[in-house]
Structure formats: C-alpha cells, structure tokens
C-alpha cells in the first residue's frame, strides 16, 4: 500500500496517482496544503469544487455576502433554495459533502486592512476571486507582506485574465496596475454583465495553477498574464516584469503595512467629481402620479431596455448622450431625472448634462433596480 494514503484515498485519487508528475508524493502534498479562496462568487465556486475534488486538505473561504437570485446564472455551488443564505455557509456544506478529506474553514467577513494578515496567515496559497479593486489590492499587498503566492483571476462581460503573482519570483499585482482606475471608470459586473460560463474557464486556470504550485510541477504563470476572449475563443499571453519602483515589492518599498483601501481607491484631493443630486424612486413615482412637467431620461443600453423599461422615459444610451444632446434641447431649463440600472451611469450623465448647460438634473438613486425593489416588484430585475 502507498505510504500515507488510506485505501479509500487510493481509490478516490487514483487518476492523480498514475500521473508520474504527481503520484503519491504529490497527492500527499495536496492533502496537506492550505489554500485560501478570497471570494465565493463566480470564480470562487468552481475553484472550491475542483480544489476540493483534487484533495486540497484545507480550504479557507472568505466572503461576507448572501446568495442572490442574480448569482445563480454563474455561481454553480448555489441553488434556488439557497437565496438569502450566507455564501460561505452554503459553500462549506457543498464542499464537505463532496469530499470528507477537505477541512473547510469559513471566514464570513469583509476582508479589511485590519484583518487581512490575520486571516491569510497560515495558508500556503491565496487565490484571488474578488470582483472589486479595494479587495484586489488588499489581497495583493497582504500576500506580498506574508510572502504568499497570489493566484489571480478576473472577469468582465466576455473576457477574463489569469496569472500568478509571487513577489519572491516575479511581479505583483501593483507591478502590473500601480494604481486603481478612477471610481466609476470600470463598470461592475452588475452594470456591465458577465457571460455565465466565463468564470468557470478562468477559475479552472486558477485551479490548475494552484495544484501546480502545491505539487511543484510544471511552469507556473508567474511573469505571464493569460487573457481570454470568449467571443473570439482566443487566448493571448503577455510577459510581465517586476517593477523595481513598485511601492510594495520593489527595491525600496514604501508600503510596508496595509492601508485603508476604500480611501485609497477614492479620488485624490482636488480630483473629486462634482456631487450629483439624487432623488429616490418612490419620489419619482409620486411625481409621475401627480402628473409631471419633467423629463425621465434612461441612459441604459438597448439590450437592457428590452428587459425592463419605465413608461414615458426618453432613451439615449450614455455613450450617445453628447452626440444626441440636441434631442433634449427643450429641457435645458426644466427638470430632468436620469436613471440607469443602479446609479453609476446616471450620475455620469448628470455631470455631462450640467457641463452642457442643463440647469436642473438629478439622478434616480439605485436606478431601475431599486425602482423594482421599492416601487414595482413586478418589474423584471437583471
């Protein structure tokens, strides 16, 4: 009998054991490994499934969110009955049922500069499945400070990318992206959308890299960024270099402790965008009920309007607003209420209209999504 593996483990992992690159020694490394998944969403779900199936002995799960119906299109650990339940709770149940060899450590919390080092300490590999820049930078910097490899993946619409950041052997995330983009420049998946199967493809690359790191086989993606386009079904590889001026992993690092990343990702003093006035959907509905002398402007894309629309709205996508501004010339001196899906694009539209001389523009807080929640529950949400 192979040393260290029980008979039921020999049966479960036999396809690994017959690979000379892995064998018994590699499988034992997997069973002893401690891997932390940051995010239990689109990337985290398939990551958890395949790493558990591979026999990673300890899987930590970091997520503070609950399952939402909109998650079910791509977050494959969850089902309809799980809506409203904490993600780490559901994910832990599923993983334990898949493989009793795996110890699941749930971290039902929001990763912050105060707890990140404590949460990550003791793991061998961190896998980044986050969907926001503050947590992405926080994960990177904590990994550099702790000397941990960071298996990175990100997705948007039809595109994804994956790499391994390991400051001991190559660049970190900040070497590639020294600073986050300005707030609002990059739409969230909620606004931009994401192909449901895309996270599975990127997550499988991350899972493969994690197994390779643990077992010590193959050439990792350290120093290489793999970009994937689902529409073209194409992969493109880019070489990455370590930045000697990187503030966290460079030759003279200036960032030696974690910082407040929400503040870090906010505009710098003097760069703040002009504030935008907001109005609640309930108030917009009340105005409509009383009759109105104001314009409801919808700046979403045509494919979104096919899903749900507010009656009486004028529809001009944000990207066409300036080119079609003449269509709104009668409203320069009259009230205009702008809405999108959740509020980001409508705020931009309000700033554009104000710069073009419109006197009275407000953004509908929470967009059509909050309208469906607060005013008309029968309206489809997406």
């Amino acid at each position: 009998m192979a040393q260290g593996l029980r008979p039921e483990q020999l049966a479960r992992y036999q396809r690994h054991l017959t690979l000379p690159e892995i064998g018994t020694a590699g499988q034992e490394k997997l069973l002893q490994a401690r891997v932390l998944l940051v995010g239990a969403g689109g990337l985290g779900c398939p990551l958890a499934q395949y790493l558990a199936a591979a026999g990673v002995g300890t899987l930590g799960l970091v997520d503070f969110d609950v399952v939402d119906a909109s998650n079910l299109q791509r977050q494959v650990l969850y089902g309809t009955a799980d809506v409203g339940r904490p993600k780490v709770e559901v994910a832990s149940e599923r993983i334990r049922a898949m493989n009793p060899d795996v110890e699941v450590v749930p971290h039902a919390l929001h990763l912050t500069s105060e707890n990140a080092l404590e949460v990550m300490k003791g793991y061998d590999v961190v896998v980044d499945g986050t969907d926001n820049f503050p947590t992405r930078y926080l994960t990177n910097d904590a990994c550099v400070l702790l000397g941990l490899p960071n298996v990175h993946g990100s997705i948007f619409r039809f595109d994804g990318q994956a790499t391994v950041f390991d400051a001991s052997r190559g660049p970190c995330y900040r070497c590639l992206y020294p600073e986050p983009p300005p707030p609002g420049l990059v739409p969230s998946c909620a606004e931009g959308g994401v192909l449901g199967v895309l996270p599975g493809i990127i997550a499988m690359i991350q899972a493969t890299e994690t197994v390779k790191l643990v077992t010590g086989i193959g050439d990792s993606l350290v120093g290489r960024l793999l970009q994937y386009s689902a529409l073209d079904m194409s992969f493109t590889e880019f070489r990455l270099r370590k930045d000697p001026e990187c503030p966290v992993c460079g030759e003279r690092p200036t960032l030696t402790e974690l910082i407040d990343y929400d503040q870090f990702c906010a505009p710098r003093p003097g760069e703040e965008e002009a504030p935008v006035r907001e109005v609640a959907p309930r108030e917009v509905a009340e105005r409509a009920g009383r009759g109105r002398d104001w314009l409801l402007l919808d700046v979403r894309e045509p494919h979104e309007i096919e899903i749900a629309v507010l009656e009486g709205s004028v529809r001009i996508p944000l990207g066409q607003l300036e080119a079609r501004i003449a269509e709104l010339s009668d409203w320069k001196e009259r009230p205009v209420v702008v809405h999108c899906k959740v509020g980001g694009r409508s705020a931009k539209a309000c700033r554009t209209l104000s710069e073009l001389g419109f006197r009275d523009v407000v953004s509908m807080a929470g967009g059509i999504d909050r309208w469906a929640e607060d005013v008309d529950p029968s309206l489809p949400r997406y």
Side-chain angles (χ1 to χ4, degrees):
M1 183 182 296
Q3 184 178 1
L5 294 181
R6 302 188 305 273
E8 62 270 23
Q9 291 175 324
L10 291 174
R12 178 183 284 268
Y13 305 118
Q14 60 176 285
R15 297 299 189 271
H16 272 175
L17 304 182
T18 55
L19 292 172
E21 294 85 354
I22 296 182
T24 302
Q27 189 59 53
E28 289 179 345
K29 288 179 181 178
L30 286 167
L31 288 165
Q32 294 163 8
R34 297 176 56 84
V35 175
L36 180 69
L37 306 183
V38 183
L43 294 171
C45 285
L47 274 163
Q49 289 175 297
Y50 271 87
L51 292 177
V56 170
T58 301
L59 275 180
L61 302 176
V62 178
D63 205 298
F64 65 94
D65 206 358
V66 298
V67 179
D68 184 81
S70 65
N71 302 149
L72 303 181
Q73 160 251 20
R74 66 199 176 281
Q75 299 183 18
V76 292
L77 273 175
Y78 314 125
T80 303
D82 300 315
V83 171
R85 296 182 62 197
K87 289 184 177 180
V88 293
E89 179 182 300
V90 181
S92 297
E93 293 175 2
R94 303 285 194 273
I95 295 167
R96 292 185 182 113
M98 285 175 57
N99 190 348
D101 288 339
V102 180
E103 178 186 358
V104 184
V105 182
H107 301 277
L109 50 80
H110 179 69
L111 204 65
T112 69
S113 57
E114 295 181 355
N115 63 27
L117 294 177
E118 186 63 30
V119 169
M120 294 184 187
K121 187 169 59 178
Y123 287 96
D124 304 312
V125 179
V126 174
V127 187
D128 177 7
T130 59
D131 62 357
N132 64 86
F133 286 104
T135 310
R136 201 168 287 162
Y137 279 87
L138 177 66
T139 299
N140 172 80
D141 295 354
C143 284
V144 174
L145 295 178
L146 291 171
L148 296 174
N150 172 15
V151 183
H152 168 79
S154 62
I155 54 174
F156 181 66
R157 294 180 65 85
F158 298 95
D159 300 320
Q161 63 181 26
T163 186
V164 176
F165 295 115
D166 186 346
S168 67
R169 298 187 288 156
C172 77
Y173 184 75
R174 281 188 191 267
C175 294
L176 181 59
Y177 304 111
E179 296 184 354
L185 180 63
V186 180
S188 66
C189 285
E191 284 205 312
V194 61
L195 181 67
V197 298
L198 175 65
I201 297 169
I202 301 302
M204 289 308 93
I205 297 171
Q206 291 179 275
T208 302
E209 290 300 300
T210 302
V211 171
K212 287 162 57 182
L213 287 172
V214 170
T215 57
I217 64 173
D219 295 324
S220 79
L221 280 175
V222 171
R224 295 183 290 152
L225 177 71
L226 197 61
Q227 290 192 341
Y228 169 70
S229 169
L231 289 180
D232 298 337
M233 194 51 70
S234 63
F235 288 90
T236 307
E237 182 180 301
F238 298 90
R239 290 285 175 174
L240 305 179
R241 293 184 178 180
K242 193 176 184 72
D243 180 3
E245 301 299 320
C246 176
V248 67
C249 80
E251 296 173 359
R252 293 175 296 277
T254 57
L255 198 159
T256 56
E257 61 183 19
L258 302 182
I259 62 175
D260 186 339
Y261 290 84
D262 288 325
Q263 179 179 351
F264 176 74
C265 289
R268 295 177 180 81
E271 296 181 351
E272 295 88 351
E273 293 182 299
V276 171
R277 291 189 297 128
E278 291 188 324
V279 59
R282 289 186 187 276
E283 185 176 340
V284 176
E286 291 171 2
R287 287 190 191 181
R290 297 192 300 263
R292 66 189 187 196
D293 185 26
W294 49 277
L295 174 71
L296 181 60
L297 176 62
D298 186 341
V299 294
R300 295 175 300 144
E301 296 299 314
H303 67 273
E304 296 177 272
I305 290 170
E306 291 178 4
I307 301 171
V309 67
L310 299 185
E311 185 179 352
S313 59
V314 172
R315 299 142 204 175
I316 302 177
L318 178 62
Q320 301 177 19
L321 186 58
E322 289 194 56
R324 296 174 57 182
I325 199 66
E327 298 176 31
L328 306 176
S329 58
D330 291 343
W331 295 93
K332 270 201 166 184
E333 305 295 330
R334 298 154 68 188
V336 178
V337 177
V338 190
H339 87 82
C340 59
K341 181 184 177 183
V342 294
R345 285 171 288 175
S346 61
K348 292 180 184 178
C350 285
R351 294 187 184 99
T352 298
L353 291 173
S354 295
E355 291 169 359
L356 293 173
F358 285 72
R359 303 288 187 182
D360 185 3
V361 291
V362 296
S363 172
M364 189 170 79
I368 197 169
D369 191 63
R370 191 176 298 176
W371 179 284
E373 184 176 347
D374 294 349
V375 178
D376 182 8
S378 68
L379 196 69
R381 299 178 72 178
Y382 62 99

